[in-house]
């Protein structure tokens, strides 16, 4: 699997300075997401005013998925910053021109493509809309736009062979389930629904429909470029999702709900522009609703981060059972890195080894086995051959992975 490399290179800088510190890695995710919010208080505020900036900040910060993904050690916060920069400065290219704006669109677009494949898809949509706008209203910029496109393509060429191999691998089969009506509905509930108040998704539909209607009415009264741009901002995540669904239906399922996240700040910008001239009572109601959702999601995220996992029980077991410097075997290879990072500070002398790489013939006092249910188990013949026994210690877990823990030692 060829995953775009930028986020991992970015994260490696934090690891180089702070080691395998989970807190440092989470801060690495918070920084670009904070940059996306700061963009609202700076450039977006300058372009569209205080009301738009305020609505942009509240909407993007308070929708349920943002709070969850802002602290996950994943590439999404970096992807959303790059896509949003590309979308905002594409507007500046059209309205102002200027070498700086062209450079910012090109650099942010290429960085987005090197961060996530569906961020790449959103950048393609942004560039397509910019091309249509230039072709329709400002053809003097067409040469500069074409040069920008050539430079962006050239900058992505080093990664293109890996992108191609990924496409081929996906077409040969992928782990994402078949697209169904329930699965598509999950795209919206993941984005807008609180776990304890699932009907919030319908309130967001009403809010976005009201914003869309207001924007359409403004367009019908005379095209203003801000309203046209707002429509384009709304269409970027929409087209990205529709393209993902169509590809998934026609070829191999490749689209998941979180793949829309890199373009969601542009949806927030659409809302901010569409409702910026609404009355004070309407704006007060919208802000109150968004803040209420944000408070509810904060409570859910706090539970998810600190209380939904069995990590405290797992740490207590290792602490009280004399396993601080033990060897831990695991059969879920994907979680190997997560184990090392999570336990690095509390158990610095602990060693983690994949079950497939462990030599049971070596001399050892005891090892601990994290046995994830749907992963390969230890062959009983190996235990019999080397005179080993497995002592069950209970059911534990970390993050979204639960497992049974066994203490493996020699029978004598």
């Amino acid at each position: 699997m060829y995953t775009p490399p930028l986020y991992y290179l970015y994260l490696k800088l934090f690891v180089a300075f702070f080691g395998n510190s989970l807190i440092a890695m989470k801060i690495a995710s918070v920084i670009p997401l904070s940059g996306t919010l700061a963009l609202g208080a700076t450039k977006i505020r300058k372009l569209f005013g205080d009301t738009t900036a305020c609505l942009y900040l509240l909407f993007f910060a308070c929708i349920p998925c943002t709070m969850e993904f802002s602290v996950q050690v994943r590439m999404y916060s970096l992807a959303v910053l790059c896509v949003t920069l590309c979308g905002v400065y594409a507007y500046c290219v059209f309205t102002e021109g200027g070498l700086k704006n062209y450079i910012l669109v090109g650099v942010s677009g290429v960085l987005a493509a090197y961060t996530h494949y569906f961020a790449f898809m959103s950048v393609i949509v942004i560039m397509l809309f910019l091309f249509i706008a230039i072709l329709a209203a400002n053809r003097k910029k067409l040469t500069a736009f074409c040069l920008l496109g050539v430079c962006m393509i050239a900058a992505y060429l080093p990664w293109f062979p890996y992108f191609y191999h990924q496409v081929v691998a996906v077409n040969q089969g992928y782990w994402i389930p078949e697209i169904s009506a329930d699965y598509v509905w999950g795209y919206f509930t993941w984005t807008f629904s609180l776990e304890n108040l699932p009907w919030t998704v319908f309130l967001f539909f009403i809010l976005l429909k009201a914003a869309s209607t207001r924007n359409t009415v403004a367009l019908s009264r005379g095209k203003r470029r801000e309203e046209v741009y707002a429509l384009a901002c709304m269409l970027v995540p929409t087209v990205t999702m529709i393209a993902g669904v169509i590809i998934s239906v026609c070829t191999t399922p490749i689209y998941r709900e979180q793949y829309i996240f890199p373009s969601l700040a542009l949806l927030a910008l659409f809302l901010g522009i569409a409702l910026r001239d609404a009355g004070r009572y309407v704006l007060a109601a919208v802000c109150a609703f968004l803040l209420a959702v944000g408070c509810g999601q904060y409570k859910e995220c706090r539970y998810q981060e600190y209380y939904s996992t069995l990590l405290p029980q797992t740490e207590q077991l290792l602490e009280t059972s004399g396993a601080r410097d033990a060897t831990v075997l695991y059969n879920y290879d994907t979680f190997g890195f997560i184990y090392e990072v999570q336990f690095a500070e509390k158990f610095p002398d602990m060693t983690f080894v994949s079950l497939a790489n462990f030599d049971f013939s070596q001399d050892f006092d005891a090892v601990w086995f994290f046995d994830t249910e749907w992963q390969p188990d230890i062959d009983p013949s190996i235990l019999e051959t080397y005179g080993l026994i497995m002592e069950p210690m209970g059911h534990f877990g970390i993050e979204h992975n639960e497992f049974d823990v066994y203490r493996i030692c020699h029978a004598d």
Side-chain angles (χ1 to χ4, degrees):
M1 187 179 205
Y2 296 98
T3 303
L6 180 62
Y7 171 74
Y8 302 99
L9 296 174
Y10 164 75
L11 188 64
K12 196 171 182 63
L13 294 174
F14 285 80
V15 174
F17 282 101
F18 303 106
N20 288 334
S21 168
L22 183 61
I23 293 177
M25 292 182 185
K26 285 183 175 289
I27 290 173
S29 294
V30 169
I31 289 173
L33 194 115
S34 299
T36 307
L37 296 173
L39 188 64
T42 53
K43 188 65 177 180
I44 290 173
R45 182 188 179 194
K46 181 180 178 181
L47 290 171
F48 304 107
D50 293 344
T51 303
T52 295
C54 180
L55 290 172
Y56 164 86
L57 289 169
L58 283 177
F59 184 90
F60 181 63
C62 294
I63 54 176
C65 58
T66 298
M67 209 168 293
E68 177 183 354
F69 269 53
S70 64
V71 294
Q72 288 196 358
V73 186
R74 305 177 81 177
M75 75 289 293
Y76 291 101
S77 60
L78 182 60
V80 74
L81 173 61
C82 294
V83 170
T84 309
L85 282 169
C86 186
V88 170
Y89 281 96
Y91 177 78
C92 296
V93 162
F94 179 77
T95 58
E96 304 169 10
L99 180 61
K100 183 187 79 170
N101 292 327
Y102 278 98
I103 291 174
L104 286 169
V105 168
V107 171
S108 60
V110 171
L111 292 180
Y114 273 101
T115 304
H116 193 278
Y117 287 127
F118 274 90
F120 183 21
M121 174 75 75
S122 295
V123 168
I124 292 173
V125 177
I126 290 169
M127 297 304 291
L128 176 61
F129 288 162
L130 179 57
F131 173 70
I132 293 171
I134 289 174
L135 201 62
N138 200 342
R139 296 193 179 187
K140 292 180 180 179
K141 292 186 171 74
L142 192 57
T143 301
F145 174 84
C146 292
L147 181 60
L148 172 64
V150 170
C151 292
M152 292 176 71
I153 292 171
Y156 193 70
L157 281 178
W159 187 254
F160 185 79
Y162 303 99
F163 173 75
Y164 174 77
H165 286 301
Q166 176 68 12
V167 171
V168 172
V170 166
N171 286 335
Q172 292 175 349
Y174 206 44
W175 58 271
I176 294 177
E178 294 289 334
I179 302 298
S180 64
D182 288 340
Y183 196 68
V184 171
W185 176 243
Y187 302 160
F188 300 100
T189 56
W190 176 84
T191 307
F192 297 121
S193 179
L194 293 173
E195 185 175 347
N196 294 326
L197 300 172
W199 45 264
T200 53
V201 64
F202 299 105
L203 297 181
F204 273 103
F205 282 164
I206 294 171
L207 175 61
L208 290 170
K209 176 59 179 175
S212 177
T213 300
R214 188 176 181 85
N215 194 68
T216 302
V217 170
L219 284 171
S220 68
R221 291 176 177 172
K223 291 184 178 179
R224 293 197 301 173
R225 64 189 181 193
E226 290 88 353
E227 277 69 30
V228 174
Y229 176 66
L231 178 63
C233 286
M234 184 268 288
L235 287 175
V236 171
T238 304
V239 173
T240 300
M241 182 183 71
I242 291 174
V245 172
I246 291 174
I247 294 171
S248 297
V249 171
C250 295
T251 57
T252 299
I254 61 169
Y255 189 77
R256 294 194 68 201
E257 61 274 12
Q258 63 256 43
Y259 294 170
I260 199 67
F261 186 73
S263 59
L264 282 181
L266 292 179
L267 183 65
L269 183 51
F270 152 75
L271 183 88
I273 296 173
L275 296 182
R276 63 180 176 168
D277 294 327
R280 67 175 67 180
Y281 296 111
V282 172
L283 291 175
V286 170
C287 291
F289 166 67
L290 293 175
L291 287 171
V293 172
C295 291
Q297 184 59 22
Y298 174 79
K299 181 179 179 182
E300 291 184 5
C301 283
R302 179 175 174 81
Y303 173 79
Q304 185 180 42
E305 284 289 315
Y306 297 107
Y307 305 111
S308 66
T309 176
L310 294 173
L311 175 62
Q313 294 89 327
T314 306
E315 290 180 337
Q316 184 179 14
L317 170 71
L318 299 175
E319 181 81 43
T320 58
S321 301
R324 295 189 62 87
D325 57 353
T327 296
V328 172
L329 306 182
Y330 56 86
N331 59 353
Y332 190 6
D333 289 345
T334 303
F335 262 70
F337 172 73
I338 297 176
Y339 295 143
E340 293 179 9
V341 170
Q342 186 66 66
F343 294 117
E345 294 184 9
K346 199 159 189 176
F347 304 104
D349 298 323
M350 189 170 285
T351 304
F352 295 87
V353 183
S354 170
L355 178 61
N357 298 326
F358 186 73
D359 180 10
F360 283 93
S361 66
Q362 64 183 301
D363 185 29
F364 60 86
D365 292 329
V367 296
W368 298 75
F369 177 39
F370 290 1
D371 181 17
T372 302
E373 182 178 1
W374 32 274
Q375 296 294 323
D377 284 322
I378 298 176
D379 187 344
S381 64
I382 293 179
L383 300 176
E384 184 177 351
T385 299
Y386 298 108
L388 301 172
I389 58 173
M390 289 177 55
E391 178 185 359
M393 305 300 294
H395 188 74
F396 298 90
I398 174 174
E399 296 292 335
H400 299 292
N401 173 32
E402 295 188 12
F403 45 74
D404 293 320
V405 175
Y406 295 91
R407 181 176 179 272
I408 302 176
C409 59
H410 292 277
D412 56 358

